């Protein structure tokens, strides 16, 4: 078993945030930082940050802090961001097109190479340099092209079927925006993104805040 397999998923989910804030420090020309400064930026405690980074070797020196560029590069290696990845999007509606247009992909060496949809009005259009192709051509495309990640933006009624089709064609990483959790084999990693769940959480805190405000008036 790889030592990284024993690391909590919660730790892995914090790493991208560290990576993002370290990128902001780099753009500001800041070369050194500390766990305390990272704590102020990220909202995580300094001890939590040190503990997270110690899972991978630490990367800092007591009394000197962290070299910003080196730490960001090390986190990039841990996350696999030092490689390039090819992505397809299945479902070229509003969400699929918005994802294809997301500039963050291209800044981090993710390339959307094609989108797939059944809507004849969309087939043949291009978003950036990625053409929208007929969903019926998906399997033939995957036979010819090495794709690393598939994004599902289909209606939930077909999302499981699409995911199973992708897996049969060799895809083992799926970013799922369909409003349904996918059931996949253990050798397939799925990130289910439910936009309404985030919105509902925000609504809860908004209403709590309003109730507290009403009590104090």
């Amino acid at each position: 078993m790889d030592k990284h397999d024993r690391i909590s998923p919660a730790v892995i989910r914090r790493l991208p945030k560290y990576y993002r804030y370290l990128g902001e420090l780099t753009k500001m020309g800041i070369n050194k930082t500390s766990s305390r400064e990272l704590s102020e930026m990220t909202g995580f405690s300094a001890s939590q940050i040190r503990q997270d980074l110690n899972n991978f070797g630490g990367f800092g020196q007591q009394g000197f802090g962290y070299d910003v560029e080196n730490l960001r590069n090390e986190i990039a290696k841990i996350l696999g961001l030092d490689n390039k990845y090819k992505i397809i999007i299945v479902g070229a509606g509003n969400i699929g097109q918005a994802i294809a247009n997301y500039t963050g992909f291209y800044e981090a060496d993710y390339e959307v190479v094609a989108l797939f949809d059944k809507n004849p009005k969309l087939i043949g259009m291009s978003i950036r340099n990625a053409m929208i192709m007929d969903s019926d051509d998906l399997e033939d495309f995957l036979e010819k092209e090495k794709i690393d990640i598939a994004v599902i933006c289909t209606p939930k009624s077909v999302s499981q079927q699409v995911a199973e089709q992708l897996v049969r064609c060799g895809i083992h990483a799926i970013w799922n925006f369909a409003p349904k959790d996918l059931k996949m084999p253990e050798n397939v990693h799925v990130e289910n993104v439910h936009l309404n769940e985030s919105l509902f959480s925000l609504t809860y805190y908004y209403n709590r805040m309003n109730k507290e405000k009403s009590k104090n008036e």
Side-chain angles (χ1 to χ4, degrees):
M1 178 184 289
D2 188 293
K3 65 179 181 179
H4 290 181
D5 291 340
R6 298 189 294 270
I7 294 171
S8 164
V11 174
I12 302 302
R13 291 188 181 279
R14 285 191 287 270
L15 292 181
K17 195 165 188 176
Y18 301 152
Y19 180 80
R20 174 163 59 88
Y21 278 110
L22 288 165
E24 292 182 10
L25 292 176
T26 299
K27 290 177 182 177
M28 294 164 61
I30 297 173
N31 299 318
K32 293 285 185 181
T33 190
S34 66
S35 56
R36 179 182 58 79
E37 290 169 340
L38 286 174
S39 172
E40 292 172 357
M41 294 180 73
T42 64
F44 304 130
S45 69
S47 61
Q48 179 69 75
I49 293 169
R50 290 193 297 271
Q51 184 178 337
D52 287 349
L53 296 178
N54 283 337
N55 282 297
F56 306 96
F59 312 118
Q61 293 182 328
Q62 190 169 359
F64 293 92
Y66 301 102
D67 179 284
V68 170
E69 184 178 1
N70 178 66
L71 179 57
R72 189 168 188 265
N73 288 340
E74 291 296 332
I75 291 176
K77 291 177 185 176
I78 294 166
L79 293 172
L81 300 181
D82 52 338
N83 296 318
K84 295 183 178 182
Y85 299 95
K86 289 187 175 182
I87 295 175
I88 60 166
I89 299 173
V90 184
N94 292 335
I95 294 177
Q97 291 185 36
I99 292 171
N101 271 308
Y102 176 52
T103 56
F105 276 151
Y106 308 95
E107 293 170 358
D109 273 340
Y110 293 88
E111 179 189 4
V112 177
V113 296
L115 296 88
F116 293 86
D117 204 282
K118 287 189 173 296
N119 187 343
K121 294 181 179 179
L122 297 176
I123 295 168
M125 291 174 52
S126 290
I127 299 179
R128 292 185 177 260
N129 293 320
M131 181 175 287
I132 301 176
M133 303 174 65
D134 193 321
S135 295
D136 290 341
D137 297 328
L138 176 59
E139 292 190 15
D140 287 341
F141 181 88
L142 291 175
E143 282 184 10
K144 298 172 185 175
E145 298 287 338
K146 170 65 172 70
I147 299 300
D148 303 294
I149 298 169
V151 184
I152 295 180
C153 300
T154 65
K156 67 179 181 179
S157 58
V158 298
S159 58
Q160 182 68 35
Q161 177 185 341
V162 168
E164 291 171 1
Q165 181 184 26
L166 291 167
V167 172
R168 286 197 305 270
C169 294
I171 297 294
H172 291 89
I174 296 175
W175 200 18
N176 175 39
F177 282 82
K180 177 181 179 179
D181 290 341
L182 300 175
K183 297 179 180 179
M184 292 283 101
E186 288 186 1
N187 65 336
V188 178
H189 186 81
V190 178
E191 286 289 326
N192 293 300
V193 181
H194 294 294
L195 299 177
N196 60 345
E197 289 182 6
S198 178
L199 179 61
F200 294 166
S201 296
L202 176 64
T203 304
Y204 167 79
Y205 288 109
Y206 172 73
N207 280 291
R208 270 189 58 186
M209 178 181 66
N210 280 346
K211 288 177 181 178
E212 289 297 321
K213 184 179 179 180
S214 297
K215 287 180 182 178
N216 296 328
E217 287 178 349

